[in-house]
Amino acid sequence: MTLYTTTDSPLGELLLVGEESATAPGGTALASLSVPGQKGGATVRDGWTRDDAAFAAITEELRGYFGGGRTGFGVECAVGRGTDFQRRVWQALDSVPYGTTLTYGEIAARIGAPRAAVRAVGTAIGANPLLVVRPCHRVIGASGALTGYAGGLERKRLLLDLESRHRAV
């Protein structure tokens, strides 16, 4: 069964979508986290069930992150989405430390892809269904410029600034 909830954040109202899981805290594995106006973001579908309580652990972790008291997430993520290449890129994203950034080329190197795969890496990052939790906002252009973020560059800047402030504390 697909469950969902919404929660307020500095990025706007977040849409959290999950699947029932016997092993996840609160019984829900996170399948998607979207922001309003996100390119390719989830939208509530017929047959989904709103269940705020099922996402209590996840929303608590998000509050901690946005409040500066949490630098990572322990939520269980639903598996099965994405191609093998996308999953390899997403796994590399999961290893980017809080408050740091890597380039698309560095992500390509981490997964053993040639430098020419930078655009494919960018496409895989753009397909990340778990904004914030899987930190695609920590990937920047080779020049250090902010590039491509499905939630919008202003949100990417907000997340990087938040992490920079709290990392310095």
Side-chain angles (χ1 to χ4, degrees):
M1 175 179 357
T2 301
L3 307 172
Y4 78 95
T5 193
T6 58
T7 189
D8 289 329
S9 82
L11 304 177
E13 185 178 72
L14 304 178
L15 172 62
L16 287 71
V17 180
E19 300 171 6
E20 292 179 322
S21 168
T23 57
T28 304
L30 189 62
S32 174
L33 189 156
S34 304
V35 296
Q38 175 183 330
K39 179 181 154 191
T43 55
V44 177
R45 298 183 185 169
D46 288 340
W48 288 7
T49 302
R50 183 173 185 119
D51 187 345
D52 300 339
F55 293 90
I58 298 167
T59 56
E60 187 60 32
E61 288 193 25
L62 287 165
R63 276 191 221 98
Y65 170 81
F66 288 120
R70 176 176 276 283
T71 60
F73 295 92
V75 302
E76 181 180 311
C77 298
V79 294
R81 293 185 67 173
T83 65
D84 178 61
F85 182 79
Q86 287 173 327
R87 287 191 301 269
R88 288 178 28 227
V89 170
W90 298 342
Q91 186 175 15
L93 291 177
D94 289 337
S95 70
V96 179
Y98 180 92
T100 64
T101 57
L102 290 179
T103 66
Y104 293 91
E106 289 170 320
I107 294 292
R110 282 191 174 197
I111 65 165
R115 187 100 173 117
V118 168
R119 286 188 183 211
V121 166
T123 300
I125 290 171
N128 172 21
L130 299 172
L131 294 190
V132 183
V133 172
R134 181 177 293 134
C136 53
H137 60 277
R138 297 180 190 150
V139 182
I140 59 174
S143 68
L146 296 187
T147 59
Y149 186 64
L153 291 181
E154 66 285 345
R155 289 185 178 116
K156 184 172 190 165
R157 167 57 52 209
L158 187 147
L159 291 168
L160 292 173
D161 287 349
L162 175 132
E163 291 185 7
S164 177
R165 273 193 320 273
H166 293 289
R167 186 170 183 243
V169 172

